[in-house]
Amino acid sequence: MDLTSNHPVWLELDGRLQTYPNLQGDARADVAVIGGGVTGALVAHALAGAGLATIVLDKRDVGTGSTAASTALLQYELDVPLVQLRERIGRDRADRAYLACRDAVGTLASIAASLPDATHFRRRQSLYLAAHTRDLDAHRAELAARHEAGLGGEWVEGDAVRRRFGIDRPGAIYSDGAAEVDAFALTHALLADARARGSRVFAGTRVEQVDARHDGVALRLAAGGVVSARHVVFATGYETREFVGVGPAKLVSTFAIASTPDGTPAPWRESGALIWERADPYLYLRTVADGRVIVGGEDEEFRDPDHRDALLGAKAERLAKRFRELFPDATLDVDFAWAGTFGETADGLPYVGAHHDWPCCQFALGYGGNGITFSVIAAEIVRDAILGRANPHADLFRFGR
């Protein structure tokens, strides 16, 4: 299935960072990772760092699936507000999930700093806007819940939102702990580091059949070879359902636009904060190092790629209009517009770890708007499971929770 449409900004700005061969014939490894997007790259990086012989297989060019469509806002805030998540899964588990995501952004900062190739990772603040006056009580309750959980954040009244950011909204939560990155460049940098540690990476290599036994896994390739491994990790998002039937997620189409360079309005330019408005549908914005603005959102239920792509023009216009509503004195010249397909779970949390129907298999399925942050957590959980170590977050994201 086509996971993206038109021209995601990262593919245009970065170009082809690295090419990878097809796998010809058979291969063996301690761990095989299916999926060469940012999730698979984070998993492979963690496994290689643990000294495990790892092989990565992607049916596409590396990083050109959902990763290419990601706007790569890294926040500890989840798609489900903390107040609502507490109601769904309990206060302790909800607070732990938020704290785990906060820590994951810090972990990724350390990883990015260790990579020789530029990933354009930058720490940022996050501005969570109240769209209407009627939303203020819910936003203040959300901030109080975050403080109870040990998370930071300050309340910004409407006049201060206008003065500090040039945005006309009645109030907002302003928080530390966010970041932004070039997800496509990050993927290739992670894989380059993993290859330097002995990992092998293959593109254009489709896994046609998975034979999972209690003593190992055999992956039968469409080209005729077989990859044998003690463990396999599925880092294929909702596409995991296509060949193993795992991945209970709703499919969502999301849309994004990127401006021409130097399109960031002042005074937002001075802070560079990630902006998130939890309207219906929600809206999020970030900047790029060259001054571009990325605006995303307008999500709706996925039907098929053709239907999604037919909506792109109208969705791009709607995103540009909503940008102008936030910044009425700014201009926005759209340089890129694209759409992507992602999966969501009922509670907004990913599925990570073992599945009782698939021995010797681990799953790193980072659904939702926090896919990269979740993937950092998933890489650690999967690594620890394969090494036989306990992980403090594993129970939060397990199947059957």
Side-chain angles (χ1 to χ4, degrees), residues 67-339:
T67 295
S70 173
T71 49
L73 288 80
L74 309 177
Q75 302 179 113
Y76 68 75
E77 294 103 330
L78 308 186
D79 288 348
V80 180
L82 180 57
V83 170
Q84 295 179 19
L85 192 61
R86 283 177 166 184
E87 294 173 354
R88 295 185 189 183
I89 67 174
R91 175 169 172 168
D92 175 69
R93 293 172 62 83
D95 290 359
R96 288 170 54 208
Y98 263 70
L99 290 167
C101 288
R102 180 201 62 186
D103 294 344
V105 176
T107 297
L108 188 56
S110 298
I111 293 172
S114 73
L115 298 173
D117 296 327
T119 63
H120 305 291
F121 181 96
R122 292 184 290 181
R123 298 301 298 256
R124 291 298 196 195
Q125 285 74 42
S126 174
L127 188 69
Y128 180 24
L129 298 172
H132 307 283
T133 302
R134 63 177 179 268
D135 301 325
L136 291 176
D137 287 346
H139 266 61
R140 289 192 175 101
E142 177 69 11
L143 180 59
R146 294 183 186 186
H147 285 170
E148 291 171 355
L151 297 162
E154 64 173 292
W155 182 253
V156 184
E157 294 288 354
D159 58 346
V161 173
R162 287 187 288 273
R163 184 177 64 255
R164 293 169 60 179
F165 304 98
I167 298 172
D168 186 16
R169 286 296 183 267
I173 298 172
Y174 191 56
S175 305
D176 291 323
E180 62 190 26
V181 73
D182 179 333
F184 187 67
L186 174 65
T187 297
H188 286 278
L190 288 164
L191 290 175
D193 193 70
R195 292 172 83 186
R197 299 169 187 257
S199 297
R200 292 167 289 166
V201 181
F202 296 95
T205 302
R206 180 184 295 272
V207 175
E208 196 167 65
Q209 183 178 336
V210 179
D211 297 326
R213 306 175 304 274
H214 290 284
D215 60 348
V217 182
L219 306 177
R220 304 189 183 280
L221 307 179
V226 176
V227 176
S228 302
R230 293 192 292 116
H231 305 272
V232 65
V233 181
F234 291 91
T236 47
Y238 76 83
E239 287 188 308
T240 309
R241 296 185 304 182
E242 294 181 7
F243 48 94
V244 297
V246 173
K250 179 180 73 173
L251 300 188
V252 175
S253 296
T254 191
F255 303 86
I257 57 175
S259 75
T260 53
D262 301 318
T264 309
W268 179 30
R269 183 186 302 112
E270 298 176 11
S271 73
L274 308 184
I275 298 174
W276 178 30
E277 183 178 65
R278 192 166 182 80
D280 185 18
Y282 67 85
L283 182 75
Y284 50 89
L285 304 90
R286 60 161 288 189
T287 60
V288 185
D290 63 0
R292 295 177 195 269
V293 174
I294 294 179
V295 186
E298 287 292 309
D299 294 6
E300 65 173 59
E301 189 169 347
F302 175 80
R303 184 188 303 174
D304 58 64
D306 290 339
H307 176 74
R308 177 201 64 200
D309 297 353
L311 295 173
L312 180 57
K315 291 288 188 178
E317 291 180 6
R318 175 63 180 158
L319 289 170
K321 178 182 178 181
R322 293 181 68 181
F323 172 87
R324 289 190 290 269
E325 289 171 352
L326 284 180
F327 300 99
D329 297 328
T331 58
L332 183 76
D333 296 320
V334 177
D335 209 3
F336 302 100
W338 69 98

